[in-house]
Amino acid sequence: MTCRKIDGKAVALAVREEIAVRVAQLKEKGVTPGLAVILVGNDPASEIYVRNKGVACEKAGMRSETVRLPEDTSQEALEAEIERLNRDDGIDGILVQLPLPRHLDERRALNAIRPEKDADGFHLLNAGKLLEGEETVVPCTPKGCMRLLESAGVEMTGKEAVVIGRSNIVGKPMALLLMNAGCTVTVCHSKTRDLAGHTRRADILVAAVGKPGFVTKDMVKPGAVVLDVGINRVDGKVCGDVAYDEVAEVASAMTPVPGGVGPMTIAMLLQNTLEAAEKRA
Ligand code: NDP
C-alpha cells in the first residue's frame, strides 16, 4: 500500500494565509487581534516555543505581547498579571506557557484567564463545553489534528478511532473531538492491557505518548490513517511516537514528524486568537 504523507506544514501555511487575510479585514474595522504569552522562569524549550509564537503572530499581522516573569514569581503575582491582560481590550488571547515552576498552581492560573480569552482552550469552562459538544475554544493540538483529518478528506462518521494518551492537553480533548465527529473512540494509556489489540482495530490512530518509535507496524491496521503527535529528541534529532518508515508500509496516510501536527498547533493558536478578536469586533 502506498502511504500518503499528510503535509502539516503545507496545511498550516494555508491556514496561516487565510488567517492573515481575516486579520487584515479586522484591521480595516479598527480591530487588531492580540495574543499575550506569559512565560514564568527560564526553561530553554519554553523560551523557543514562546519566541516562535510571537513571530507567528506578527507574521499574521497580529499584535503579540510576551510577559516574562521571574522563576520565583508568586501565585498572586502571576494571577495579577493574568487579570491585567483580562482587562486589556487590545488582548484577545492569553496563554500561560506550561509547564509552570513547581511551586505554582497550574490549574488555578489557567482558570484565572477569562474563558473568552483562553487561547489554549485549557480553562475548565471551555473543557466542559467541549465535553458537552458545545462550540468553544478547543485546545490547539487536537484542533490541528482534526483540521489535518479534514484536509486529508478522511471520513470520520462511524470509524473506529484509537487515541494513545489521555493527557488533558492532547489525549482527552482529541478523543472528545473524534467522538463529536462521529467516531467510535477508544482511549489507551499506560495501564491499558493488550494495547496492540486495541490499536489494530483503529481506522484512525492518534499517538500522543511521548516515546520515540512507540507505534510499530504490527500495531497498525492496514489502511489506517495515523496521526503522530509526539515530539521527541533522539541524538539531537526530532522524531515522533510512530516508527514512520515501517508504519508507512501498512498505513494509508500518516503525518510525519517534523512537519505534521507540530506546525498545526501554532496555526490553531493564531486561529483561536483571531476567532476571539472576531467576536470582539
Ligand atoms: P503526557 O506525558 O501528559 O501524556 C502521555 C500519555 O501517554 C499518558 O496518558 C500516558 O499514560 C500515555 N502513555 C505513556 N506510556 C504509555 C504506554 N507504554 N502505553 C500506552 N500509553 C502510554 O504527554 P502529552 O499528552 O502532553 O504529550 C504527548 C506527546 O505529544 C509528547 O511527545 C509531547 O511532546 C507531544 N506534544 C506535541 C505537541 C505538538 O504540537 N505536536 C503539543 C503537545 C504535546 P498515563 O496517563 O497512564 O500516564
Side-chain angles (χ1 to χ4, degrees), residues 141 164-167 169-171 188-191 195 208-211 214 229-232 241 261-262 265:
T141 301
I164 320 176
R166 57 172 165 179
S167 71
I169 62 168
V170 188
C188 300
H189 46 77
S190 68
K191 307 289 186 290
L195 178 67
V209 189
K211 294 195 166 145
F214 183 78
V229 178
I231 299 181
N232 309 292
D241 288 344
V261 175
T265 297

Side-chain angles (χ1 to χ4, degrees), residues 11 30 50 59 86 95 112 140 148 205 265:
V11 178
V50 168
K59 274 193 184 159
N86 278 339
L95 180 156
C140 303
L148 285 178
L205 178 61
T265 297

